[in-house]
Amino acid sequence: MKEDKILRNEMMPVLMLSLALGIRQMSMTMVAPFISTYSKTLNFYTPMLAAVALGIFGLTQAIFQFPFGILSDKFGNKIMMVIGLFQVIIGLFIAFLARNIYILIFARALQGSGAIIGVGYSWASEVVEQDKRTKALSIVGTFVSASAALAFALGPLMHEFMSVNMMFLVCAILLLINGIYIILFLKDNGKGENIEKEVSTYKGLKILFRNKNFIVNNIAAFINNFMMMSVFYLVPIYLNNVTGEKGIWKVFLPAILTAVIAMKVAVGFVEKGYDRGVLTTAFLIASISICFYFKKQSYVFLLIGTILYLSAYVTLTTILATNVNNSVENSYRGTANGIFNSFQYIGNFVGPLVCGAVWTHSEKFTWVVVICVGILGLFMISLNKGYVLREC
């Protein structure tokens, strides 16, 4: 009983960090389907500027993950988390007030520049003992992944009774409440660890990029997010025709609930030392799941495909992040997570860009490209012998 109480107390900071990252992720994703139509109501609208407003968030995310990671190593996780959160909050509030497309673009860029996902993973890794790290990061990964998926279901429902700019405001208020809690109640290192500050950024980077498995993790993260954004970009188009915009939740809600269960099972195997097997299986399932999208008129096929895909995606997100954090010292953990998350968000940017370009020529070939990318991830992990990351 006493151990359970200690575990609950230990996981509370992880839950609050996860909540902050989850709300942030949801606030960004939830409005994505409506940006193009909402932009038409703003002054100086053009289709190109609407596309920039939609995509600029992912680009600034990719750019700022790395510096946020480096700065968290130098100044601490808490201060960088708070700075990043308030950048997002201010960006959301500016988006709420925006009356022309240029202000909206600036607001979305500011939201993305609050690139705190890597900082959140670093902080969550440090507030628990090493043997609880996989559990802690699985909680963070679940919140972030589930928030992205549920946003596609909740967005249309919320849009029924509130405007897009009001959705920005609601998300800003929720993040502000969460940010105040973090400022008042969370300590930077819950275990009182002595973080070594003497390792320079340059030395940390040399150590990281000499580690083959760290590089493999980053490429795998790029592939995972390339596939994720491709699915999230294209599948809602099918679901609009099959379930209607209001019925998208009928696919994404059961899919994310199943994915959480699948991830918990996968974590159990990882804790027994089957990292490589879990990752190759997840990439295989992700690749197979795409085949179901060739039957785009079938609710059942779309449901099965999304359940399989999200189960693989959430598992990959959690295990890859865990392996990165198990491989590094605290002195350059933020730098490692910053690099890792930069690769993820570059995948976010490149995935829909490539699929959008291929889609104009062949819808089916677009899915073939996504399948091939998933198979590339599978072979990359399976051919890298001795893939279990150890501290470097």
Side-chain angles (χ1 to χ4, degrees):
M1 182 68 71
K2 186 175 180 181
E3 287 183 1
D4 289 343
K5 185 175 180 181
I6 291 172
L7 181 60
R8 285 196 298 271
N9 291 338
E10 193 176 52
M11 288 299 169
M12 182 54 69
V14 176
L15 286 171
M16 295 310 297
L17 290 170
S18 301
L19 186 61
L21 298 178
I23 295 172
R24 175 188 178 278
Q25 190 73 12
M26 185 173 288
S27 67
M28 302 302 102
T29 311
M30 185 166 61
V31 298
F34 314 112
I35 290 291
S36 58
T37 53
Y38 173 66
S39 297
K40 293 179 180 179
T41 67
L42 302 176
N43 295 327
F44 312 120
Y45 162 83
T46 68
M48 176 60 73
L49 290 176
V52 173
L54 177 62
I56 193 70
F57 166 77
L59 183 60
T60 53
Q61 276 266 74
I63 292 170
F64 283 91
Q65 288 288 343
F66 184 47
F68 261 83
I70 291 175
L71 292 172
S72 70
D73 285 334
K74 293 184 179 298
F75 302 109
N77 294 311
K78 182 172 182 175
I79 186 169
M80 297 313 300
M81 173 68 77
V82 170
I83 289 171
L85 267 181
F86 277 89
Q87 283 180 228
V88 179
I89 292 166
I90 293 168
L92 287 167
F93 189 69
I94 292 173
F96 164 68
L97 296 174
R99 294 296 176 265
N100 74 64
I101 190 73
Y102 293 106
I103 298 297
L104 180 64
I105 290 171
F106 170 74
R108 292 278 292 173
L110 185 59
Q111 292 162 27
S113 69
I116 52 174
I117 299 289
V119 178
Y121 274 110
S122 296
W123 199 353
S125 298
E126 292 173 13
V127 297
V128 296
E129 301 287 358
Q130 185 165 356
D131 61 342
K132 304 293 192 309
R133 188 171 288 158
T134 301
K135 181 178 178 63
L137 294 180
S138 70
I139 293 171
V140 178
T142 300
F143 267 77
V144 173
S145 304
S147 296
L150 287 176
F152 282 92
L154 294 177
L157 296 177
M158 289 184 66
H159 193 41
E160 281 296 299
F161 57 88
M162 69 173 65
S163 62
V164 173
N165 64 329
M166 283 302 298
M167 291 165 73
F168 284 127
L169 181 61
V170 169
C171 291
I173 293 170
L174 290 174
L175 269 181
L176 180 61
I177 293 170
N178 194 252
I180 291 171
Y181 179 92
I182 288 172
I183 291 170
L184 295 178
F185 299 108
L186 295 193
K187 294 181 180 179
D188 207 351
N189 292 297
K191 305 312 292 181
E193 294 178 322
N194 180 28
I195 298 179
E196 300 173 18
K197 299 294 183 182
E198 65 271 13
V199 176
S200 68
T201 299
Y202 175 72
K203 184 178 179 182
L205 289 172
K206 277 183 65 177
I207 293 170
L208 290 170
F209 283 108
R210 282 177 178 171
N211 187 297
K212 180 183 176 183
N213 288 326
F214 176 75
I215 294 171
V216 168
N217 256 283
N218 283 284
I219 298 172
F222 169 86
I223 291 172
N224 188 35
N225 277 46
F226 179 106
M227 295 182 73
M228 180 270 291
M229 282 304 292
S230 302
V231 170
F232 282 7
Y233 174 69
L234 300 174
V235 170
I237 298 172
Y238 293 166
L239 291 177
N240 270 336
N241 296 326
V242 175
T243 65
E245 192 176 75
K246 296 179 185 178
I248 290 177
W249 68 269
K250 295 176 184 177
V251 167
F252 278 109
L253 185 58
I256 198 61
L257 292 175
T258 307
V260 171
I261 296 170
M263 181 270 296
K264 287 182 176 293
V265 173
V267 166
F269 281 103
V270 169
E271 289 175 340
K272 294 176 182 177
Y274 299 109
D275 307 50
R276 188 174 164 198
V278 169
L279 290 173
T280 52
T281 302
F283 271 122
L284 177 62
I285 291 172
S287 301
I288 291 172
S289 71
I290 303 301
C291 299
F292 286 86
Y293 296 135
F294 286 101
K295 193 81 171 176
K296 64 180 181 180
Q297 302 297 336
S298 170
Y299 167 77
V300 174
F301 272 68
L302 293 175
L303 176 63
I304 293 172
T306 307
I307 286 174
L308 289 174
Y309 178 72
L310 281 180
S311 296
Y313 167 71
V314 173
T315 297
L316 286 165
T317 299
T318 301
I319 306 309
L320 290 171
T322 301
N323 280 349
V324 166
N325 279 280
N326 282 341
S327 73
V328 298
E329 299 174 2
N330 284 339
S331 54
Y332 50 90
R333 186 182 302 281
T335 301
N337 277 294
I339 295 169
F340 175 74
N341 281 278
S342 289
F343 271 83
Q344 285 187 308
Y345 281 100
I346 292 169
N348 277 16
F349 180 72
V350 175
L353 190 68
V354 170
C355 288
V358 179
W359 185 271
T360 59
H361 300 287
S362 172
E363 184 176 326
K364 289 184 178 179
F365 187 65
T366 305
W367 289 123
V368 172
V369 170
V370 177
I371 291 170
C372 290
V373 169
I375 293 172
L376 175 64
L378 187 157
F379 279 108
M380 185 182 64
I381 297 293
S382 62
L383 294 176
N384 183 33
K385 296 180 180 179
Y387 173 80
V388 178
L389 282 181
R390 295 292 178 250
E391 189 169 292
C392 58

